[in-house]
Amino acid sequence: MKHFKVNQNQTNQKQVFGFKKCIATCAMLFSVWFVLQAQTVRYVDNNQGAPTASGLNYTSVQAAVNASAAGDIIYIQPSPNGYGDINMTKQLSIYGLGHNPSLNAGQVATVNNILFRSANASGSKISGLNIYGIYLDNGTYDNHDIVITNNRIVYVAGNSTTSKANNVIISGNFFYHDSSVAIDNVNSQNWIISNNTFTRTNAYWDYEMFFRFNNTTLFNNNIVLSHQNGDNNQRIEIFRSCSGTQISNNIFLFRGTSVSNFNLGSNSALNFQNNLTYGFNSTLDALSGTNNIDNADPQFVNFVQNSSLNNSNNDYHIQGGSPAENAGTDGNNLGVFNGNYPFSIRGYPTELPYLTDFVIYNNIISAGTSLNINVKANANINN
């Protein structure tokens, strides 16, 4: 835990409001960390009353992207206003504060689509944002080694060409969608999809979550929650047109009725190992594969019934004595904390410090007087 005390003289304002100061202090904290890095750091803030664009400060993410050099870092401030699409044109690291933060009145940095379609942006990292779609589907440019972590996402699309968007890591994210596919691997190679949570809220039986996974795709250590009801044969579709995929150490939860089988779809040779299934309102057939645990409550430390998987009151650590305890292929617990992965239900990027407490003792002041702030923050997990 790090503690900060900031005294700031105000010479051009008679009133200072806590939200704006919280935003500024977040930038200060991240600057302290980023100054140790070699890359240029740019800040984007489209809040009402935010400073106009100048120097390294921007109101548009795309303007910051266009001004950056390969390897630079962009930090996007939480805002009630969306930031639109991002067209990736080079290798960049783009960070938000987290997709479900405890401060800033829960505000997040929201972007629409992140498009890898105009240049080689291999090695880019996206973290801590609220995102609709990430598209790695351009057939002209290489976009390998992309890291997508600690975001709230609706959809990620791979590439139809086997040589254009490979070695992608998708981890620590919260996927939430009503009806569409969550991840479409297409023909991309060597994707690792691990330590994420996935929620499908629509009850219809054939709205698959995972599409066109191949034999180079690893789907491990995830928690999947489906609200789908079974068809006339008590089947639902989770995977579709997937072939040869390794599926291990996951927890599959089902809230729908009349569900006995979730492997409906044109799949082949899926390798289910050391997974757990549990139906809240139905009994599932034994899962094909080896060392799977059927119809067993995973016994999370805390799970709020009928809540979203990103409910901050949920705790997906496994209780002692749970059937998921030490049940993984590696002898560790099943689910998102497998292998001591630093899963954050709030989506805090592991590279950044994050605020845990922010108190302004005199939030309305006269010009020339001191602003007294007490800030507490956790150091970034990587350090």
Side-chain angles (χ1 to χ4, degrees):
M1 182 77 70
K2 293 183 179 179
H3 300 267
F4 299 85
K5 185 148 186 186
V6 179
N7 291 315
Q8 180 172 331
N9 289 327
Q10 303 296 311
T11 59
N12 58 357
Q13 283 184 281
K14 291 186 178 180
Q15 291 184 332
V16 179
F17 298 94
F19 175 73
K20 292 180 181 178
K21 289 291 114 183
C22 187
I23 294 292
T25 302
C26 288
M28 177 201 71
L29 289 174
F30 299 138
S31 296
V32 170
W33 179 83
F34 280 135
V35 76
L36 302 177
Q37 313 303 308
Q39 303 93 333
T40 297
V41 182
R42 291 175 169 82
Y43 300 94
V44 182
D45 187 352
N46 68 1
N47 283 276
Q48 184 177 3
T52 56
S54 64
L56 299 177
N57 296 311
Y58 299 80
T59 58
S60 160
V61 179
Q62 193 60 52
V65 169
N66 295 343
S68 296
D72 284 353
I73 297 167
I74 296 173
Y75 174 70
I76 308 177
Q77 295 282 7
S79 173
N81 310 306
Y83 287 93
D85 290 346
I86 302 175
N87 188 28
M88 299 293 290
T89 58
K90 61 205 66 146
Q91 178 195 353
L92 296 169
S93 295
I94 301 181
Y95 297 100
L97 181 66
H99 64 70
N100 187 23
S102 59
L103 297 178
N104 286 331
Q107 288 186 0
V108 298
T110 298
V111 300
N112 189 28
N113 296 310
I114 300 179
L115 308 170
F116 290 81
R117 292 175 173 171
S118 300
N120 182 345
S122 293
S124 291
K125 182 167 188 176
I126 309 296
S127 187
L129 300 173
N130 182 26
I131 307 165
Y132 182 82
I134 298 177
Y135 293 85
L136 298 158
D137 56 355
N138 183 271
T140 302
Y141 302 101
D142 292 340
N143 284 290
H144 303 308
D145 307 306
I146 305 300
V147 178
I148 302 166
T149 183
N150 295 87
N151 306 284
R152 174 173 176 154
I153 313 177
V154 173
Y155 177 62
V156 176
N159 203 290
S160 61
T161 303
T162 59
S163 61
K164 294 299 176 187
N166 299 331
N167 310 316
V168 171
I169 296 175
I170 301 173
S171 64
N173 303 285
F174 169 60
F175 283 82
Y176 182 92
H177 203 288
D178 183 20
S179 59
S180 184
V181 174
I183 300 178
D184 182 357
N185 201 159
V186 198
N187 288 319
S188 297
Q189 305 290 295
N190 301 317
W191 280 27
I192 298 175
I193 303 166
S194 68
N195 305 90
N196 305 282
T197 58
F198 296 87
T199 296
R200 162 55 42 76
T201 58
N202 194 292
Y204 200 62
W205 56 269
D206 71 342
Y207 285 165
E208 74 277 2
M209 295 188 195
F210 311 117
F211 189 33
R212 293 187 285 194
F213 287 7
N214 58 55
N215 61 3
T216 71
T217 308
L218 297 180
F219 187 82
N220 301 331
N221 314 326
N222 303 287
I223 299 175
V224 178
L225 173 62
S226 167
H227 291 258
Q228 296 163 272
N229 297 323
D231 67 1
N232 292 334
N233 295 308
Q234 299 188 347
R235 301 172 301 177
I236 63 173
E237 192 169 56
I238 299 292
F239 297 90
R240 182 181 180 188
S241 299
C242 298
S243 177
T245 305
Q246 177 71 41
I247 303 169
S248 302
N249 302 340
N250 304 288
I251 296 174
F252 293 96
L253 306 173
F254 303 91
R255 288 211 174 278
T257 59
S258 301
V259 178
S260 63
N261 187 298
F262 68 88
N263 196 22
L264 179 65
S266 54
N267 303 304
S268 63
L270 299 185
N271 188 3
F272 289 95
Q273 291 187 8
N274 298 71
N275 302 281
L276 180 147
T277 66
Y278 182 59
F280 294 92
N281 301 302
S282 58
T283 301
L284 293 127
D285 296 339
L287 188 61
S288 63
T290 58
N291 298 319
N292 296 298
I293 303 167
D294 304 302
N295 296 295
D297 187 337
Q299 298 178 30
F300 298 125
V301 168
N302 192 52
F303 182 62
V304 180
Q305 296 294 315
N306 296 314
S307 71
S308 171
L309 287 184
N310 76 329
N311 186 319
S312 59
N313 292 315
N314 290 339
D315 184 346
Y316 298 119
H317 286 94
I318 301 300
Q319 295 185 47
S322 162
E325 185 180 22
N326 302 325
T329 55
D330 53 2
N332 292 310
N333 296 345
L334 302 183
V336 291
F337 291 103
N338 178 279
N340 294 316
Y341 181 84
F343 177 80
S344 169
I345 202 164
R346 294 191 177 277
Y348 294 134
T350 59
E351 297 84 354
L352 307 180
Y354 60 89
L355 294 177
T356 59
D357 193 24
F358 186 96
V359 179
I360 299 176
Y361 294 104
N362 55 337
N363 65 321
I364 299 178
I365 61 176
S366 301
T369 60
S370 295
L371 177 67
N372 296 316
I373 304 172
N374 189 64
V375 178
K376 295 180 182 179
N378 280 346
N380 67 79
I381 296 173
N382 284 359
N383 290 334

PDB file of all heavy atoms in Angstrom, residues 200 203-208 228-229 235-237 240 264:
ATOM      1  N   ARG A 200     -23.283 -15.395 -20.854  1.00  0.00           N
ATOM      2  CA  ARG A 200     -24.267 -15.338 -21.930  1.00  0.00           C
ATOM      3  C   ARG A 200     -25.637 -15.214 -21.292  1.00  0.00           C
ATOM      4  O   ARG A 200     -26.097 -16.118 -20.601  1.00  0.00           O
ATOM      5  CB  ARG A 200     -24.178 -16.600 -22.795  1.00  0.00           C
ATOM      6  CG  ARG A 200     -25.368 -16.914 -23.696  1.00  0.00           C
ATOM      7  CD  ARG A 200     -25.771 -15.809 -24.637  1.00  0.00           C
ATOM      8  NE  ARG A 200     -24.662 -15.139 -25.268  1.00  0.00           N
ATOM      9  CZ  ARG A 200     -23.943 -15.661 -26.274  1.00  0.00           C
ATOM     10  NH1 ARG A 200     -24.218 -16.852 -26.741  1.00  0.00           N
ATOM     11  NH2 ARG A 200     -22.961 -14.979 -26.798  1.00  0.00           N
ATOM     12  N   ALA A 203     -31.444 -16.613 -23.245  1.00  0.00           N
ATOM     13  CA  ALA A 203     -31.827 -17.983 -22.895  1.00  0.00           C
ATOM     14  C   ALA A 203     -31.930 -18.905 -24.094  1.00  0.00           C
ATOM     15  O   ALA A 203     -32.155 -20.113 -23.925  1.00  0.00           O
ATOM     16  CB  ALA A 203     -33.163 -17.970 -22.147  1.00  0.00           C
ATOM     17  N   TYR A 204     -31.777 -18.389 -25.321  1.00  0.00           N
ATOM     18  CA  TYR A 204     -31.981 -19.231 -26.504  1.00  0.00           C
ATOM     19  C   TYR A 204     -30.862 -20.259 -26.638  1.00  0.00           C
ATOM     20  O   TYR A 204     -29.692 -19.957 -26.430  1.00  0.00           O
ATOM     21  CB  TYR A 204     -32.076 -18.377 -27.757  1.00  0.00           C
ATOM     22  CG  TYR A 204     -32.742 -19.082 -28.904  1.00  0.00           C
ATOM     23  CD1 TYR A 204     -34.067 -19.502 -28.809  1.00  0.00           C
ATOM     24  CD2 TYR A 204     -32.039 -19.362 -30.067  1.00  0.00           C
ATOM     25  CE1 TYR A 204     -34.681 -20.172 -29.858  1.00  0.00           C
ATOM     26  CE2 TYR A 204     -32.648 -20.025 -31.123  1.00  0.00           C
ATOM     27  CZ  TYR A 204     -33.960 -20.425 -31.014  1.00  0.00           C
ATOM     28  OH  TYR A 204     -34.560 -21.095 -32.049  1.00  0.00           O
ATOM     29  N   TRP A 205     -31.176 -21.470 -27.042  1.00  0.00           N
ATOM     30  CA  TRP A 205     -30.259 -22.599 -26.943  1.00  0.00           C
ATOM     31  C   TRP A 205     -29.097 -22.553 -27.922  1.00  0.00           C
ATOM     32  O   TRP A 205     -28.023 -23.089 -27.654  1.00  0.00           O
ATOM     33  CB  TRP A 205     -31.007 -23.925 -27.120  1.00  0.00           C
ATOM     34  CG  TRP A 205     -31.781 -24.036 -28.412  1.00  0.00           C
ATOM     35  CD1 TRP A 205     -33.078 -23.688 -28.618  1.00  0.00           C
ATOM     36  CD2 TRP A 205     -31.309 -24.550 -29.656  1.00  0.00           C
ATOM     37  NE1 TRP A 205     -33.455 -23.924 -29.922  1.00  0.00           N
ATOM     38  CE2 TRP A 205     -32.380 -24.468 -30.578  1.00  0.00           C
ATOM     39  CE3 TRP A 205     -30.094 -25.075 -30.092  1.00  0.00           C
ATOM     40  CZ2 TRP A 205     -32.271 -24.882 -31.906  1.00  0.00           C
ATOM     41  CZ3 TRP A 205     -29.975 -25.490 -31.410  1.00  0.00           C
ATOM     42  CH2 TRP A 205     -31.054 -25.390 -32.301  1.00  0.00           C
ATOM     43  N   ASP A 206     -29.241 -21.921 -29.104  1.00  0.00           N
ATOM     44  CA  ASP A 206     -28.172 -22.048 -30.100  1.00  0.00           C
ATOM     45  C   ASP A 206     -27.390 -20.756 -30.324  1.00  0.00           C
ATOM     46  O   ASP A 206     -26.848 -20.532 -31.398  1.00  0.00           O
ATOM     47  CB  ASP A 206     -28.722 -22.568 -31.433  1.00  0.00           C
ATOM     48  CG  ASP A 206     -29.566 -21.538 -32.172  1.00  0.00           C
ATOM     49  OD1 ASP A 206     -30.000 -20.571 -31.537  1.00  0.00           O
ATOM     50  OD2 ASP A 206     -29.784 -21.729 -33.388  1.00  0.00           O
ATOM     51  N   TYR A 207     -27.267 -19.918 -29.281  1.00  0.00           N
ATOM     52  CA  TYR A 207     -26.395 -18.750 -29.364  1.00  0.00           C
ATOM     53  C   TYR A 207     -25.026 -19.113 -28.782  1.00  0.00           C
ATOM     54  O   TYR A 207     -24.772 -18.974 -27.594  1.00  0.00           O
ATOM     55  CB  TYR A 207     -26.986 -17.571 -28.602  1.00  0.00           C
ATOM     56  CG  TYR A 207     -28.139 -16.881 -29.290  1.00  0.00           C
ATOM     57  CD1 TYR A 207     -28.967 -16.013 -28.590  1.00  0.00           C
ATOM     58  CD2 TYR A 207     -28.392 -17.074 -30.643  1.00  0.00           C
ATOM     59  CE1 TYR A 207     -30.018 -15.363 -29.222  1.00  0.00           C
ATOM     60  CE2 TYR A 207     -29.439 -16.439 -31.272  1.00  0.00           C
ATOM     61  CZ  TYR A 207     -30.246 -15.581 -30.568  1.00  0.00           C
ATOM     62  OH  TYR A 207     -31.279 -14.931 -31.184  1.00  0.00           O
ATOM     63  N   GLU A 208     -24.151 -19.603 -29.669  1.00  0.00           N
ATOM     64  CA  GLU A 208     -22.846 -20.061 -29.199  1.00  0.00           C
ATOM     65  C   GLU A 208     -21.986 -18.892 -28.719  1.00  0.00           C
ATOM     66  O   GLU A 208     -22.140 -17.757 -29.153  1.00  0.00           O
ATOM     67  CB  GLU A 208     -22.107 -20.817 -30.308  1.00  0.00           C
ATOM     68  CG  GLU A 208     -21.540 -19.958 -31.417  1.00  0.00           C
ATOM     69  CD  GLU A 208     -22.563 -19.609 -32.499  1.00  0.00           C
ATOM     70  OE1 GLU A 208     -23.749 -20.011 -32.362  1.00  0.00           O
ATOM     71  OE2 GLU A 208     -22.189 -18.938 -33.467  1.00  0.00           O
ATOM     72  N   GLN A 228     -28.767 -20.099 -20.973  1.00  0.00           N
ATOM     73  CA  GLN A 228     -29.525 -20.731 -22.052  1.00  0.00           C
ATOM     74  C   GLN A 228     -30.374 -21.893 -21.538  1.00  0.00           C
ATOM     75  O   GLN A 228     -29.931 -22.670 -20.683  1.00  0.00           O
ATOM     76  CB  GLN A 228     -28.563 -21.240 -23.127  1.00  0.00           C
ATOM     77  CG  GLN A 228     -27.787 -20.127 -23.835  1.00  0.00           C
ATOM     78  CD  GLN A 228     -26.571 -20.660 -24.570  1.00  0.00           C
ATOM     79  OE1 GLN A 228     -25.493 -20.767 -23.992  1.00  0.00           O
ATOM     80  NE2 GLN A 228     -26.754 -21.011 -25.841  1.00  0.00           N
ATOM     81  N   ASN A 229     -31.564 -22.023 -22.101  1.00  0.00           N
ATOM     82  CA  ASN A 229     -32.419 -23.179 -21.863  1.00  0.00           C
ATOM     83  C   ASN A 229     -32.209 -24.197 -22.971  1.00  0.00           C
ATOM     84  O   ASN A 229     -31.906 -23.835 -24.112  1.00  0.00           O
ATOM     85  CB  ASN A 229     -33.889 -22.767 -21.824  1.00  0.00           C
ATOM     86  CG  ASN A 229     -34.208 -21.814 -20.694  1.00  0.00           C
ATOM     87  OD1 ASN A 229     -33.653 -21.936 -19.593  1.00  0.00           O
ATOM     88  ND2 ASN A 229     -35.078 -20.854 -20.940  1.00  0.00           N
ATOM     89  N   ARG A 235     -30.388 -29.764 -25.195  1.00  0.00           N
ATOM     90  CA  ARG A 235     -29.041 -29.394 -25.627  1.00  0.00           C
ATOM     91  C   ARG A 235     -28.936 -27.874 -25.771  1.00  0.00           C
ATOM     92  O   ARG A 235     -29.901 -27.198 -26.130  1.00  0.00           O
ATOM     93  CB  ARG A 235     -28.705 -30.045 -26.964  1.00  0.00           C
ATOM     94  CG  ARG A 235     -28.771 -31.566 -26.957  1.00  0.00           C
ATOM     95  CD  ARG A 235     -28.607 -32.099 -28.361  1.00  0.00           C
ATOM     96  NE  ARG A 235     -29.652 -31.569 -29.248  1.00  0.00           N
ATOM     97  CZ  ARG A 235     -29.720 -31.834 -30.563  1.00  0.00           C
ATOM     98  NH1 ARG A 235     -28.818 -32.610 -31.133  1.00  0.00           N
ATOM     99  NH2 ARG A 235     -30.700 -31.319 -31.287  1.00  0.00           N
ATOM    100  N   ILE A 236     -27.756 -27.333 -25.504  1.00  0.00           N
ATOM    101  CA  ILE A 236     -27.445 -25.944 -25.825  1.00  0.00           C
ATOM    102  C   ILE A 236     -26.095 -25.915 -26.543  1.00  0.00           C
ATOM    103  O   ILE A 236     -25.341 -26.891 -26.531  1.00  0.00           O
ATOM    104  CB  ILE A 236     -27.391 -25.035 -24.576  1.00  0.00           C
ATOM    105  CG1 ILE A 236     -26.269 -25.468 -23.629  1.00  0.00           C
ATOM    106  CG2 ILE A 236     -28.729 -24.995 -23.870  1.00  0.00           C
ATOM    107  CD1 ILE A 236     -26.052 -24.503 -22.471  1.00  0.00           C
ATOM    108  N   GLU A 237     -25.806 -24.763 -27.152  1.00  0.00           N
ATOM    109  CA  GLU A 237     -24.585 -24.620 -27.936  1.00  0.00           C
ATOM    110  C   GLU A 237     -23.664 -23.613 -27.255  1.00  0.00           C
ATOM    111  O   GLU A 237     -24.023 -22.448 -27.096  1.00  0.00           O
ATOM    112  CB  GLU A 237     -24.945 -24.149 -29.344  1.00  0.00           C
ATOM    113  CG  GLU A 237     -23.829 -24.238 -30.348  1.00  0.00           C
ATOM    114  CD  GLU A 237     -24.350 -24.016 -31.762  1.00  0.00           C
ATOM    115  OE1 GLU A 237     -24.966 -22.955 -31.997  1.00  0.00           O
ATOM    116  OE2 GLU A 237     -24.158 -24.888 -32.621  1.00  0.00           O
ATOM    117  N   ARG A 240     -19.014 -23.837 -31.308  1.00  0.00           N
ATOM    118  CA  ARG A 240     -19.550 -24.127 -32.638  1.00  0.00           C
ATOM    119  C   ARG A 240     -18.423 -24.106 -33.666  1.00  0.00           C
ATOM    120  O   ARG A 240     -17.566 -23.212 -33.643  1.00  0.00           O
ATOM    121  CB  ARG A 240     -20.613 -23.104 -33.039  1.00  0.00           C
ATOM    122  CG  ARG A 240     -21.238 -23.374 -34.396  1.00  0.00           C
ATOM    123  CD  ARG A 240     -22.266 -22.330 -34.744  1.00  0.00           C
ATOM    124  NE  ARG A 240     -22.856 -22.587 -36.033  1.00  0.00           N
ATOM    125  CZ  ARG A 240     -23.680 -21.747 -36.663  1.00  0.00           C
ATOM    126  NH1 ARG A 240     -24.007 -20.598 -36.093  1.00  0.00           N
ATOM    127  NH2 ARG A 240     -24.170 -22.050 -37.835  1.00  0.00           N
ATOM    128  N   LEU A 264     -23.521 -29.005 -28.204  1.00  0.00           N
ATOM    129  CA  LEU A 264     -24.235 -28.994 -29.468  1.00  0.00           C
ATOM    130  C   LEU A 264     -23.491 -28.112 -30.471  1.00  0.00           C
ATOM    131  O   LEU A 264     -22.967 -27.058 -30.128  1.00  0.00           O
ATOM    132  CB  LEU A 264     -25.645 -28.436 -29.257  1.00  0.00           C
ATOM    133  CG  LEU A 264     -26.544 -28.315 -30.481  1.00  0.00           C
ATOM    134  CD1 LEU A 264     -26.849 -29.695 -31.051  1.00  0.00           C
ATOM    135  CD2 LEU A 264     -27.835 -27.604 -30.114  1.00  0.00           C
TER     136      LEU A 264
END
